[in-house]
Amino acid sequence: MSDLFQPKPSDRFTFGLWTVGNPGRDPFGDAVRPTVAPTYSVKKLSELGAYGVNLHDNDLVPFDATASERDQIVKEFKQALEDCGMKVPMATTNLFFHPVFRDGAFTSNNPKVRAFAVQKTMSAIDLGVELGAEIYVFWGGREGAEVDASKNGPDTIKWFRDSINFLCDYVKDQGYDLKFALEAKPNEPRGDIYMPTTGHMLHFIETLDDPPMVGVNPEFAHETMAGLNFLHGVIQALEAGKLFHIDLNDQKMGRFDQDLRFGSENIKAAFLLVKLLEDANWGGMKHFDAHAYRTEDEEGVWDFAAGCMRTYLILKEKAKQFNEDAEIQGLLAEIQSKDAELEALISGYSADKASQLRGRDFAPDQIAAKGHAYEKLDQLTVEVLLGVR
Ligand code: GLT
Ligand code: MN
Ligand code: MN
């Protein structure tokens, strides 16, 4: 098999400790795999060629650990990272598992819970920074509702904003070099989650005290659950300079949050995503937020992890092939034909341009008569993916 698809740390692939450590528990059934030690995941992932691991505070330090237990755990974990040459580029807070968060964390009706959530996040930020994280993710799994009558809706947005603003200031006050990335999800575990899509988050960010400090962490499965086009969400975030992090996985539309192996379901969408990131030379971490099928044992988990990275690299190679294919590029040049004079006319308003524009005859019926050759382009794309070109 080609070495081209062997992951290397320079590919910047990361996995959450909670992904390869997922024991396969679901709402209907118990764990099917033993829990693995974080230090073991670090070792196994480094052998597979990953760059690093990401974590929630409680993926590493149990919720009820004492200060000295915490320090001992962190010390051993740091040693494992060093031994394996692995990094922790992203960290986050578990604000969803403990029953105290059953009605939300930053958006709980109870001010004590909201304050505890901010306190817990401050400690988790300290932990993340101690481990070297530069991106801090906020996924509000419990920030939602089943009973909308229970909350004054606008308060929930305000509370969420107050918490993020507070934590941004905390980071600056500590002198940390850390940026925040907000991750949207439409539902699950709540019946409905507030600010359910990347688009909602992009707007919310602009209402914060320090918008440049905050970006998004879109997840393939989450936009797909909502029936949206993930690629379009990522494009908008990228164009806005807000793609701080990305959660790669796969998902069938209209299902529960499946977190499937990257590229296992929607190959064309995964291809176009990889092509987008590679063409843009995006410098962020390629983070896999997925887990092995519940049918798998430990060996299946490492097959899953290797598969995520291998598929990304195969799709990267396909993107290169697509970009070098003379027929495809010729077709694209025709499809995306330029007209410098007209483009200048409609960019940047002036009264003179408006009157020039009013005087032009575009012969729309003539333009409309011509097909766009997208059938041909899509077939060529599919053939690249199927390996016959
Ligand atoms: C959880 C969730 C993910 C988030 C993780 C970060 S935890 O597994 O399903 O989408 O990215 O909090
Ligand atoms: Mn995620
Ligand atoms: Mn998910």
Side-chain angles (χ1 to χ4, degrees), residues 183 185 219 221-222 225 249 251 257-259 289:
E183 178 177 348
K185 188 175 182 182
E219 174 172 318
H222 296 176
M225 284 168 75
N249 56 15
Q251 172 77 28
D257 182 23
Q258 295 176 304
D259 289 335
D289 186 9

Side-chain angles (χ1 to χ4, degrees), residues 182-333:
L182 309 184
E183 178 177 348
K185 188 175 182 182
N187 58 275
E188 203 190 322
R190 295 313 292 266
D192 290 288
I193 296 178
Y194 303 133
M195 298 188 278
T197 69
T198 298
H200 289 80
M201 289 300 187
L202 284 171
H203 170 262
F204 173 75
I205 289 167
E206 297 308 316
T207 72
L208 295 168
D209 288 346
D210 186 2
M213 188 170 163
V214 186
V216 290
N217 178 38
E219 174 172 318
F220 194 110
H222 296 176
E223 307 291 312
T224 308
M225 284 168 75
L228 300 176
N229 182 319
F230 181 63
L231 182 71
H232 292 185
V234 174
I235 286 171
Q236 194 175 350
L238 194 62
E239 201 274 338
K242 290 292 184 192
L243 189 67
F244 286 9
H245 199 260
I246 195 163
D247 278 6
L248 300 172
N249 56 15
D250 215 330
Q251 172 77 28
K252 286 188 181 172
M253 203 179 277
R255 307 285 165 91
F256 64 95
D257 182 23
Q258 295 176 304
D259 289 335
L260 299 168
R261 189 180 77 257
F262 180 62
S264 60
E265 286 294 332
N266 303 283
I267 295 182
K268 204 201 293 178
F271 164 69
L272 291 169
L273 177 68
V274 170
K275 184 169 138 42
L276 175 77
L277 298 177
E278 295 300 322
D279 287 352
N281 216 355
W282 182 67
M285 293 293 149
K286 272 88 85 176
H287 169 70
F288 297 104
D289 186 9
H291 45 78
Y293 304 126
R294 194 165 179 271
T295 47
E296 301 310 288
D297 57 11
E298 188 195 316
E299 196 184 333
V301 171
W302 306 121
D303 287 343
F304 145 83
C308 285
M309 297 188 280
R310 189 172 161 79
T311 297
Y312 187 100
L313 293 175
I314 293 169
L315 293 175
K316 180 176 167 181
E317 185 57 24
K318 294 283 178 191
K320 185 162 169 265
Q321 196 189 333
F322 182 99
N323 290 342
E324 288 168 356
D325 186 305
E327 191 180 353
I328 292 176
Q329 293 311 312
L331 193 54
L332 277 175

